[in-house]
Amino acid sequence: GAGVSQTPSNKVTEKGKYVELRCDPISGHTALYWYRQSLGQGPEFLIYFQGTGAADDSGLPNDRFFAVRPEGSVSTLKIQRTERGDSAVYLCASSLTRDNKETQYFGPGTRLLVL
Amino acid sequence: QKEVEQDPGPLSVPEGAIVSLNCTYSNSAFQYFMWYRQYSRKGPELLMYTYSSGNKEDGRFTAQVDKSSKYISLFIRDSQPSDSATYLCAISPYSGAGSYQLTFGKGTKLSVIP
């Protein structure tokens, strides 16, 4: 079946602009996660959704970052007033449930470059 | 000190060699250990996971956990050029709040030379 998909695959924007990154999880997966992977680093947790609600947004770096999952499926990560330091690969993952024994399946990521 | 330390390499080996990849972690609350493989410009994919100390084998891959030393390893036997990728260790608490939050190492970039 289809895996996690993310769009766009690449996004170039200018400092100060607003961007939206989209994630389509695997059908039927209730848990959805966003991670950020900077160059030469491992992914870092940003936010976790169980269904429609953000159950844990403790990894969001500041209030310029926000994510939604209005119907419990597709999620959008929104970044306001982008800064050069926001340049990274933004990874989305989904799992059947939040149980950590369930595999988190990752999408290919959106490569964000802020000029 | 970061919660998970992993030597980023790069590591270059000849085809057929045994590869050893390692991570150390600092928090004994971490009880669930994973290895992910990430090809260039792709998302990480789960290779192996384990909850307990000792060895777990899957084909050419062996995951080893030593909780007393807070040390985890991944061994690849008979390495192939297709194994060339970045290998990420990941850990999480076994249960409870935040158990879904994976904490990753930096990743080790492996090249297997034909």
Side-chain angles (χ1 to χ4, degrees):
Chain A
V4 177
S5 63
Q6 293 187 245
T7 54
S9 53
N10 295 282
K11 177 71 177 177
V12 181
T13 191
E14 293 178 343
K15 181 175 178 296
K17 299 289 189 184
Y18 168 84
V19 297
E20 289 190 351
L21 313 178
R22 177 187 166 108
C23 171
D24 279 87
I26 293 172
S27 178
H29 281 194
T30 62
L32 185 145
Y33 316 83
W34 284 97
Y35 290 81
R36 178 168 71 174
Q37 187 172 23
S38 301
L39 193 63
Q41 303 295 317
E44 292 182 312
F45 171 81
L46 294 177
I47 187 169
Y48 152 66
F49 287 89
Q50 181 61 43
T52 60
D56 181 354
D57 63 358
S58 62
L60 294 178
N62 52 59
D63 62 6
R64 295 186 298 106
F65 289 75
F66 188 71
V68 296
R69 194 186 185 199
E71 296 177 357
S73 179
V74 170
S75 176
T76 304
L77 178 66
K78 308 180 181 198
I79 311 174
Q80 298 178 318
R81 304 183 304 280
T82 51
E83 300 178 357
R84 292 194 180 88
D86 298 334
S87 297
V89 177
Y90 289 82
L91 294 163
C92 176
S94 70
S95 60
L96 196 57
T97 71
R98 60 152 277 174
D99 190 324
N100 68 355
K101 299 178 189 64
E102 294 286 349
T103 299
Q104 292 188 23
Y105 294 90
F106 283 81
T110 292
R111 280 155 189 80
L112 175 66
L113 178 60
V114 182
L115 299 176
Chain B
Q1 181 190 12
K2 291 198 68 151
E3 289 190 298
V4 184
E5 299 278 0
Q6 182 176 11
D7 186 339
L11 182 62
S12 185
V13 301
E15 183 175 354
I18 296 175
V19 176
S20 172
L21 304 166
N22 311 290
C23 289
T24 59
Y25 64 97
S26 58
N27 189 342
S28 58
F30 292 125
Q31 298 285 320
Y32 183 51
F33 309 96
M34 291 146 280
W35 285 95
Y36 278 79
R37 178 175 62 195
Q38 185 174 26
Y39 290 113
S40 181
R41 305 188 75 79
K42 301 288 187 186
E45 57 175 331
L46 182 65
L47 264 182
M48 298 191 72
Y49 67 91
T50 182
Y51 307 103
S52 56
S53 282
N55 293 352
K56 181 177 181 180
E57 196 172 311
D58 184 1
R60 296 185 296 110
F61 298 90
T62 299
Q64 188 175 80
V65 174
D66 181 346
K67 288 185 181 179
S68 62
S69 303
K70 299 188 180 68
Y71 193 83
I72 60 175
S73 301
L74 178 71
F75 298 96
I76 308 173
R77 290 184 299 282
D78 187 26
S79 55
Q80 302 295 309
S82 58
D83 295 328
S84 298
T86 296
Y87 290 80
L88 298 149
C89 61
I91 55 179
S92 75
Y94 184 75
S95 62
S99 60
Y100 45 79
Q101 266 193 41
L102 303 183
T103 300
F104 285 88
K106 281 186 176 182
T108 300
K109 186 171 183 179
L110 171 68
S111 295
V112 181
I113 312 301

PDB file of all heavy atoms in Angstrom, chain B residues 58-82:
ATOM      1  N   ASP B  58      18.558 -10.600  12.668  1.00  0.00           N
ATOM      2  CA  ASP B  58      17.613 -10.627  11.555  1.00  0.00           C
ATOM      3  C   ASP B  58      18.424 -10.648  10.275  1.00  0.00           C
ATOM      4  O   ASP B  58      18.918  -9.604   9.824  1.00  0.00           O
ATOM      5  CB  ASP B  58      16.689  -9.399  11.600  1.00  0.00           C
ATOM      6  CG  ASP B  58      15.632  -9.436  10.503  1.00  0.00           C
ATOM      7  OD1 ASP B  58      15.591 -10.404   9.717  1.00  0.00           O
ATOM      8  OD2 ASP B  58      14.839  -8.484  10.427  1.00  0.00           O
ATOM      9  N   GLY B  59      18.595 -11.828   9.723  1.00  0.00           N
ATOM     10  CA  GLY B  59      19.386 -11.964   8.505  1.00  0.00           C
ATOM     11  C   GLY B  59      20.829 -11.554   8.746  1.00  0.00           C
ATOM     12  O   GLY B  59      21.479 -12.049   9.667  1.00  0.00           O
ATOM     13  N   ARG B  60      21.305 -10.616   7.968  1.00  0.00           N
ATOM     14  CA  ARG B  60      22.695 -10.158   8.114  1.00  0.00           C
ATOM     15  C   ARG B  60      22.875  -9.125   9.231  1.00  0.00           C
ATOM     16  O   ARG B  60      23.990  -8.685   9.492  1.00  0.00           O
ATOM     17  CB  ARG B  60      23.171  -9.554   6.792  1.00  0.00           C
ATOM     18  CG  ARG B  60      23.225 -10.537   5.636  1.00  0.00           C
ATOM     19  CD  ARG B  60      23.820  -9.918   4.379  1.00  0.00           C
ATOM     20  NE  ARG B  60      23.010  -8.833   3.837  1.00  0.00           N
ATOM     21  CZ  ARG B  60      23.353  -7.541   3.854  1.00  0.00           C
ATOM     22  NH1 ARG B  60      24.514  -7.164   4.380  1.00  0.00           N
ATOM     23  NH2 ARG B  60      22.566  -6.633   3.320  1.00  0.00           N
ATOM     24  N   PHE B  61      21.788  -8.734   9.864  1.00  0.00           N
ATOM     25  CA  PHE B  61      21.822  -7.676  10.870  1.00  0.00           C
ATOM     26  C   PHE B  61      21.671  -8.253  12.285  1.00  0.00           C
ATOM     27  O   PHE B  61      20.829  -9.120  12.518  1.00  0.00           O
ATOM     28  CB  PHE B  61      20.713  -6.662  10.610  1.00  0.00           C
ATOM     29  CG  PHE B  61      20.835  -5.953   9.280  1.00  0.00           C
ATOM     30  CD1 PHE B  61      20.221  -6.485   8.154  1.00  0.00           C
ATOM     31  CD2 PHE B  61      21.555  -4.786   9.167  1.00  0.00           C
ATOM     32  CE1 PHE B  61      20.334  -5.848   6.923  1.00  0.00           C
ATOM     33  CE2 PHE B  61      21.670  -4.143   7.937  1.00  0.00           C
ATOM     34  CZ  PHE B  61      21.060  -4.675   6.822  1.00  0.00           C
ATOM     35  N   THR B  62      22.482  -7.739  13.209  1.00  0.00           N
ATOM     36  CA  THR B  62      22.371  -8.095  14.619  1.00  0.00           C
ATOM     37  C   THR B  62      22.371  -6.820  15.437  1.00  0.00           C
ATOM     38  O   THR B  62      23.276  -5.997  15.300  1.00  0.00           O
ATOM     39  CB  THR B  62      23.539  -8.990  15.067  1.00  0.00           C
ATOM     40  OG1 THR B  62      23.532 -10.199  14.314  1.00  0.00           O
ATOM     41  CG2 THR B  62      23.410  -9.323  16.559  1.00  0.00           C
ATOM     42  N   ALA B  63      21.344  -6.664  16.261  1.00  0.00           N
ATOM     43  CA  ALA B  63      21.277  -5.539  17.190  1.00  0.00           C
ATOM     44  C   ALA B  63      21.675  -6.039  18.563  1.00  0.00           C
ATOM     45  O   ALA B  63      21.248  -7.104  19.001  1.00  0.00           O
ATOM     46  CB  ALA B  63      19.878  -4.941  17.221  1.00  0.00           C
ATOM     47  N   GLN B  64      22.498  -5.259  19.236  1.00  0.00           N
ATOM     48  CA  GLN B  64      22.991  -5.652  20.564  1.00  0.00           C
ATOM     49  C   GLN B  64      22.752  -4.499  21.526  1.00  0.00           C
ATOM     50  O   GLN B  64      23.016  -3.332  21.196  1.00  0.00           O
ATOM     51  CB  GLN B  64      24.481  -5.963  20.465  1.00  0.00           C
ATOM     52  CG  GLN B  64      25.109  -6.569  21.697  1.00  0.00           C
ATOM     53  CD  GLN B  64      26.558  -6.945  21.430  1.00  0.00           C
ATOM     54  OE1 GLN B  64      27.442  -6.087  21.463  1.00  0.00           O
ATOM     55  NE2 GLN B  64      26.800  -8.194  21.128  1.00  0.00           N
ATOM     56  N   VAL B  65      22.257  -4.825  22.711  1.00  0.00           N
ATOM     57  CA  VAL B  65      22.000  -3.816  23.721  1.00  0.00           C
ATOM     58  C   VAL B  65      22.678  -4.226  25.018  1.00  0.00           C
ATOM     59  O   VAL B  65      22.539  -5.368  25.462  1.00  0.00           O
ATOM     60  CB  VAL B  65      20.475  -3.647  23.973  1.00  0.00           C
ATOM     61  CG1 VAL B  65      20.234  -2.689  25.137  1.00  0.00           C
ATOM     62  CG2 VAL B  65      19.768  -3.157  22.727  1.00  0.00           C
ATOM     63  N   ASP B  66      23.400  -3.303  25.613  1.00  0.00           N
ATOM     64  CA  ASP B  66      24.000  -3.509  26.931  1.00  0.00           C
ATOM     65  C   ASP B  66      23.479  -2.383  27.824  1.00  0.00           C
ATOM     66  O   ASP B  66      24.021  -1.276  27.817  1.00  0.00           O
ATOM     67  CB  ASP B  66      25.515  -3.477  26.834  1.00  0.00           C
ATOM     68  CG  ASP B  66      26.202  -3.715  28.173  1.00  0.00           C
ATOM     69  OD1 ASP B  66      25.518  -3.638  29.209  1.00  0.00           O
ATOM     70  OD2 ASP B  66      27.417  -3.965  28.189  1.00  0.00           O
ATOM     71  N   LYS B  67      22.433  -2.667  28.574  1.00  0.00           N
ATOM     72  CA  LYS B  67      21.817  -1.621  29.382  1.00  0.00           C
ATOM     73  C   LYS B  67      22.718  -1.191  30.537  1.00  0.00           C
ATOM     74  O   LYS B  67      22.670  -0.037  30.960  1.00  0.00           O
ATOM     75  CB  LYS B  67      20.479  -2.096  29.935  1.00  0.00           C
ATOM     76  CG  LYS B  67      19.386  -2.201  28.889  1.00  0.00           C
ATOM     77  CD  LYS B  67      18.062  -2.561  29.533  1.00  0.00           C
ATOM     78  CE  LYS B  67      16.972  -2.693  28.504  1.00  0.00           C
ATOM     79  NZ  LYS B  67      15.679  -3.068  29.126  1.00  0.00           N
ATOM     80  N   SER B  68      23.546  -2.086  31.029  1.00  0.00           N
ATOM     81  CA  SER B  68      24.418  -1.711  32.151  1.00  0.00           C
ATOM     82  C   SER B  68      25.427  -0.653  31.722  1.00  0.00           C
ATOM     83  O   SER B  68      25.805   0.219  32.495  1.00  0.00           O
ATOM     84  CB  SER B  68      25.134  -2.942  32.703  1.00  0.00           C
ATOM     85  OG  SER B  68      25.968  -3.519  31.704  1.00  0.00           O
ATOM     86  N   SER B  69      25.844  -0.704  30.466  1.00  0.00           N
ATOM     87  CA  SER B  69      26.791   0.280  29.931  1.00  0.00           C
ATOM     88  C   SER B  69      26.097   1.376  29.132  1.00  0.00           C
ATOM     89  O   SER B  69      26.762   2.309  28.666  1.00  0.00           O
ATOM     90  CB  SER B  69      27.811  -0.408  29.013  1.00  0.00           C
ATOM     91  OG  SER B  69      28.501  -1.423  29.687  1.00  0.00           O
ATOM     92  N   LYS B  70      24.787   1.239  28.937  1.00  0.00           N
ATOM     93  CA  LYS B  70      24.016   2.185  28.116  1.00  0.00           C
ATOM     94  C   LYS B  70      24.657   2.285  26.731  1.00  0.00           C
ATOM     95  O   LYS B  70      24.973   3.389  26.243  1.00  0.00           O
ATOM     96  CB  LYS B  70      23.910   3.557  28.787  1.00  0.00           C
ATOM     97  CG  LYS B  70      23.207   3.533  30.143  1.00  0.00           C
ATOM     98  CD  LYS B  70      22.959   4.950  30.639  1.00  0.00           C
ATOM     99  CE  LYS B  70      22.274   4.959  31.984  1.00  0.00           C
ATOM    100  NZ  LYS B  70      23.122   4.446  33.074  1.00  0.00           N
ATOM    101  N   TYR B  71      24.815   1.141  26.121  1.00  0.00           N
ATOM    102  CA  TYR B  71      25.543   1.039  24.852  1.00  0.00           C
ATOM    103  C   TYR B  71      24.756   0.139  23.929  1.00  0.00           C
ATOM    104  O   TYR B  71      24.339  -0.956  24.308  1.00  0.00           O
ATOM    105  CB  TYR B  71      26.909   0.416  25.150  1.00  0.00           C
ATOM    106  CG  TYR B  71      27.934   0.498  24.049  1.00  0.00           C
ATOM    107  CD1 TYR B  71      28.703   1.641  23.876  1.00  0.00           C
ATOM    108  CD2 TYR B  71      28.158  -0.588  23.203  1.00  0.00           C
ATOM    109  CE1 TYR B  71      29.660   1.709  22.884  1.00  0.00           C
ATOM    110  CE2 TYR B  71      29.109  -0.530  22.203  1.00  0.00           C
ATOM    111  CZ  TYR B  71      29.865   0.623  22.052  1.00  0.00           C
ATOM    112  OH  TYR B  71      30.819   0.688  21.075  1.00  0.00           O
ATOM    113  N   ILE B  72      24.502   0.619  22.696  1.00  0.00           N
ATOM    114  CA  ILE B  72      23.794  -0.203  21.721  1.00  0.00           C
ATOM    115  C   ILE B  72      24.607  -0.286  20.439  1.00  0.00           C
ATOM    116  O   ILE B  72      25.339   0.656  20.097  1.00  0.00           O
ATOM    117  CB  ILE B  72      22.371   0.325  21.437  1.00  0.00           C
ATOM    118  CG1 ILE B  72      22.389   1.751  20.870  1.00  0.00           C
ATOM    119  CG2 ILE B  72      21.537   0.316  22.720  1.00  0.00           C
ATOM    120  CD1 ILE B  72      21.012   2.244  20.459  1.00  0.00           C
ATOM    121  N   SER B  73      24.499  -1.418  19.779  1.00  0.00           N
ATOM    122  CA  SER B  73      25.289  -1.658  18.573  1.00  0.00           C
ATOM    123  C   SER B  73      24.437  -2.291  17.489  1.00  0.00           C
ATOM    124  O   SER B  73      23.444  -2.977  17.775  1.00  0.00           O
ATOM    125  CB  SER B  73      26.459  -2.609  18.889  1.00  0.00           C
ATOM    126  OG  SER B  73      27.290  -2.089  19.881  1.00  0.00           O
ATOM    127  N   LEU B  74      24.853  -2.061  16.272  1.00  0.00           N
ATOM    128  CA  LEU B  74      24.286  -2.755  15.113  1.00  0.00           C
ATOM    129  C   LEU B  74      25.451  -3.335  14.325  1.00  0.00           C
ATOM    130  O   LEU B  74      26.396  -2.618  13.979  1.00  0.00           O
ATOM    131  CB  LEU B  74      23.484  -1.805  14.222  1.00  0.00           C
ATOM    132  CG  LEU B  74      22.897  -2.443  12.953  1.00  0.00           C
ATOM    133  CD1 LEU B  74      21.748  -3.396  13.327  1.00  0.00           C
ATOM    134  CD2 LEU B  74      22.391  -1.371  11.979  1.00  0.00           C
ATOM    135  N   PHE B  75      25.380  -4.642  14.079  1.00  0.00           N
ATOM    136  CA  PHE B  75      26.396  -5.303  13.283  1.00  0.00           C
ATOM    137  C   PHE B  75      25.777  -5.718  11.940  1.00  0.00           C
ATOM    138  O   PHE B  75      24.654  -6.229  11.896  1.00  0.00           O
ATOM    139  CB  PHE B  75      26.935  -6.548  14.003  1.00  0.00           C
ATOM    140  CG  PHE B  75      27.596  -6.236  15.315  1.00  0.00           C
ATOM    141  CD1 PHE B  75      26.893  -6.342  16.502  1.00  0.00           C
ATOM    142  CD2 PHE B  75      28.916  -5.817  15.361  1.00  0.00           C
ATOM    143  CE1 PHE B  75      27.494  -6.042  17.717  1.00  0.00           C
ATOM    144  CE2 PHE B  75      29.532  -5.521  16.558  1.00  0.00           C
ATOM    145  CZ  PHE B  75      28.820  -5.631  17.740  1.00  0.00           C
ATOM    146  N   ILE B  76      26.533  -5.481  10.879  1.00  0.00           N
ATOM    147  CA  ILE B  76      26.109  -5.910   9.553  1.00  0.00           C
ATOM    148  C   ILE B  76      27.158  -6.879   9.028  1.00  0.00           C
ATOM    149  O   ILE B  76      28.342  -6.519   8.893  1.00  0.00           O
ATOM    150  CB  ILE B  76      25.984  -4.716   8.567  1.00  0.00           C
ATOM    151  CG1 ILE B  76      25.098  -3.615   9.160  1.00  0.00           C
ATOM    152  CG2 ILE B  76      25.421  -5.192   7.227  1.00  0.00           C
ATOM    153  CD1 ILE B  76      25.052  -2.335   8.318  1.00  0.00           C
ATOM    154  N   ARG B  77      26.724  -8.113   8.770  1.00  0.00           N
ATOM    155  CA  ARG B  77      27.648  -9.114   8.218  1.00  0.00           C
ATOM    156  C   ARG B  77      27.585  -9.089   6.707  1.00  0.00           C
ATOM    157  O   ARG B  77      26.556  -8.721   6.118  1.00  0.00           O
ATOM    158  CB  ARG B  77      27.260 -10.513   8.713  1.00  0.00           C
ATOM    159  CG  ARG B  77      27.509 -10.761  10.171  1.00  0.00           C
ATOM    160  CD  ARG B  77      27.183 -12.215  10.525  1.00  0.00           C
ATOM    161  NE  ARG B  77      25.780 -12.524  10.276  1.00  0.00           N
ATOM    162  CZ  ARG B  77      24.784 -12.168  11.086  1.00  0.00           C
ATOM    163  NH1 ARG B  77      25.047 -11.490  12.189  1.00  0.00           N
ATOM    164  NH2 ARG B  77      23.527 -12.488  10.799  1.00  0.00           N
ATOM    165  N   ASP B  78      28.693  -9.504   6.071  1.00  0.00           N
ATOM    166  CA  ASP B  78      28.734  -9.618   4.607  1.00  0.00           C
ATOM    167  C   ASP B  78      28.153  -8.350   3.965  1.00  0.00           C
ATOM    168  O   ASP B  78      27.191  -8.407   3.181  1.00  0.00           O
ATOM    169  CB  ASP B  78      27.966 -10.864   4.155  1.00  0.00           C
ATOM    170  CG  ASP B  78      28.109 -11.126   2.663  1.00  0.00           C
ATOM    171  OD1 ASP B  78      29.123 -10.692   2.083  1.00  0.00           O
ATOM    172  OD2 ASP B  78      27.192 -11.750   2.082  1.00  0.00           O
ATOM    173  N   SER B  79      28.707  -7.214   4.317  1.00  0.00           N
ATOM    174  CA  SER B  79      28.140  -5.941   3.869  1.00  0.00           C
ATOM    175  C   SER B  79      28.133  -5.849   2.337  1.00  0.00           C
ATOM    176  O   SER B  79      29.029  -6.369   1.651  1.00  0.00           O
ATOM    177  CB  SER B  79      28.927  -4.780   4.477  1.00  0.00           C
ATOM    178  OG  SER B  79      30.304  -4.889   4.181  1.00  0.00           O
ATOM    179  N   GLN B  80      27.099  -5.201   1.834  1.00  0.00           N
ATOM    180  CA  GLN B  80      26.866  -5.057   0.401  1.00  0.00           C
ATOM    181  C   GLN B  80      26.841  -3.574   0.028  1.00  0.00           C
ATOM    182  O   GLN B  80      26.488  -2.734   0.857  1.00  0.00           O
ATOM    183  CB  GLN B  80      25.527  -5.695   0.025  1.00  0.00           C
ATOM    184  CG  GLN B  80      25.414  -7.162   0.386  1.00  0.00           C
ATOM    185  CD  GLN B  80      26.396  -8.013  -0.386  1.00  0.00           C
ATOM    186  OE1 GLN B  80      26.473  -7.926  -1.624  1.00  0.00           O
ATOM    187  NE2 GLN B  80      27.164  -8.833   0.317  1.00  0.00           N
ATOM    188  N   PRO B  81      27.164  -3.250  -1.222  1.00  0.00           N
ATOM    189  CA  PRO B  81      27.057  -1.837  -1.639  1.00  0.00           C
ATOM    190  C   PRO B  81      25.676  -1.251  -1.381  1.00  0.00           C
ATOM    191  O   PRO B  81      25.552  -0.056  -1.080  1.00  0.00           O
ATOM    192  CB  PRO B  81      27.382  -1.906  -3.135  1.00  0.00           C
ATOM    193  CG  PRO B  81      28.300  -3.083  -3.265  1.00  0.00           C
ATOM    194  CD  PRO B  81      27.779  -4.091  -2.268  1.00  0.00           C
ATOM    195  N   SER B  82      24.634  -2.078  -1.433  1.00  0.00           N
ATOM    196  CA  SER B  82      23.271  -1.588  -1.186  1.00  0.00           C
ATOM    197  C   SER B  82      23.042  -1.219   0.274  1.00  0.00           C
ATOM    198  O   SER B  82      22.027  -0.606   0.615  1.00  0.00           O
ATOM    199  CB  SER B  82      22.243  -2.646  -1.609  1.00  0.00           C
ATOM    200  OG  SER B  82      22.469  -3.852  -0.891  1.00  0.00           O
TER     201      SER B  82
END
